[in-house]
Amino acid sequence: DAKTTQPPSMDCAEGRAANLPCNHSTISGNEYVYWYRQIHSQGPQYIIHGLKNNETNEMASLIITEDRKSSTLILPHATLRDTAVYYCIPGSNDYKLSFGAGTTVTVRA
Amino acid sequence: GEEVAQTPKHLVRGEGQKAKLYCAPIKGHSYVFWYQQVLKNEFKFLISFQNENVFDETGMPKERFSAKCLPNSPCSLEIQATKLEDSAVYFCASSRRQGLLSYEQYFGPGTRLTVT
């Protein structure tokens, strides 16, 4: 499985955009990049995924570099409820998710 | 249902006792996954099912852990003779395969197992 590197923590001001980076330089050509988050004491929540093209949904946007070695999750207008641990996870052929340490995002008022 | 349901929410067992956890996947989802979260941020994959068939059991401690997904019944994860190190939150997730390699998993709220 591809390895990922994420900053351990970051702060964001409420109402501002939060940009969460992830390095996945060993990702293979057919592996998707998935983003999940875990709000305190809850089960992980799917956010978004992509392969090559940038993606956007109601929760976030995902920007993937052309060489696919890194990506950035963008929360356009962070709220206090977005405080969570965010995980960047390459998709594997056997479907299981390999969670790393993630980035602890704290949104401050 | 539209959400993954897990029961019980909390479970306390004495060391050596049996523990059984249940998971009802989202209706129409054919894949079920079990994960163990021992410490904050540390997830371990245990087992996955495609319908009632084991799909991947590479994460299961085979001596004491077993799991089933039978038709028309909640899936279950059973731990025989629990140990202190089994204390964790156990999450169940389900997914519906979409496309060749694209899928997302929907997680339940988890069962917190405390072994004393």
Side-chain angles (χ1 to χ4, degrees):
Chain A
D1 291 345
K3 301 293 183 207
T4 60
T5 303
Q6 296 180 254
S9 64
M10 63 185 297
D11 284 1
C12 176
E14 190 178 20
R16 303 294 293 271
N19 297 306
L20 284 62
C22 178
N23 287 326
H24 35 76
S25 57
T26 61
I27 196 169
S28 64
N30 59 358
E31 279 185 309
Y32 283 77
V33 178
Y34 290 83
W35 283 82
Y36 284 77
R37 71 181 182 183
Q38 186 178 29
I39 296 170
H40 180 62
S41 297
Q42 297 182 19
Q45 178 188 24
Y46 164 79
I47 302 173
I48 199 168
H49 73 277
L51 183 62
K52 293 180 183 176
N53 300 320
N54 298 337
E55 302 287 344
T56 295
N57 63 19
E58 64 279 4
M59 288 183 70
S61 294
L62 176 61
I63 309 296
I64 302 174
T65 58
E66 196 169 336
D67 63 8
R68 298 207 339 115
K69 292 186 177 181
S70 65
S71 61
T72 300
L73 179 75
I74 301 172
L75 307 177
H77 304 287
T79 70
L80 298 178
R81 287 174 294 185
D82 292 322
T83 292
V85 181
Y86 287 77
Y87 298 94
C88 162
I89 305 173
S92 64
N93 291 341
D94 53 11
Y95 303 169
K96 63 190 177 193
L97 295 172
S98 296
F99 291 84
T103 296
T104 300
V105 173
T106 303
V107 180
R108 303 194 185 279
Chain B
E2 292 299 316
E3 292 182 343
V4 175
Q6 289 189 250
T7 56
K9 192 171 182 179
H10 300 282
L11 188 59
V12 180
R13 288 290 180 265
E15 206 172 4
Q17 291 185 317
K18 184 172 72 175
K20 195 163 185 178
L21 292 60
Y22 296 92
C23 167
I26 293 173
K27 196 174 181 180
H29 283 193
S30 53
Y31 289 87
V32 171
F33 304 79
W34 285 98
Y35 296 88
Q36 177 194 58
Q37 187 177 30
V38 175
L39 294 172
K40 183 183 171 188
N41 301 8
E42 291 189 20
F43 284 88
K44 179 187 174 186
F45 165 78
L46 295 175
I47 190 169
S48 61
F49 289 83
Q50 181 181 13
N51 297 312
E52 62 268 24
N53 303 308
V54 173
F55 186 75
D56 181 350
E57 56 181 349
T58 52
M60 283 286 268
K62 298 230 176 110
E63 320 78 63
R64 299 181 296 108
F65 284 60
S66 62
K68 294 179 188 175
C69 276
L70 300 175
N72 302 315
S73 296
C75 296
S76 63
L77 176 69
E78 188 167 341
I79 309 173
Q80 302 284 345
T82 53
K83 296 183 177 181
L84 296 176
E85 68 226 40
D86 299 331
S87 294
V89 181
Y90 291 82
F91 289 102
C92 172
S94 69
S95 75
R96 177 185 61 206
R97 187 177 177 183
Q98 296 176 348
L100 188 61
L101 289 171
S102 167
Y103 62 97
E104 56 260 31
Q105 296 183 21
Y106 295 89
F107 284 76
T111 292
R112 179 175 295 278
L113 171 65
T114 302
V115 180
T116 61

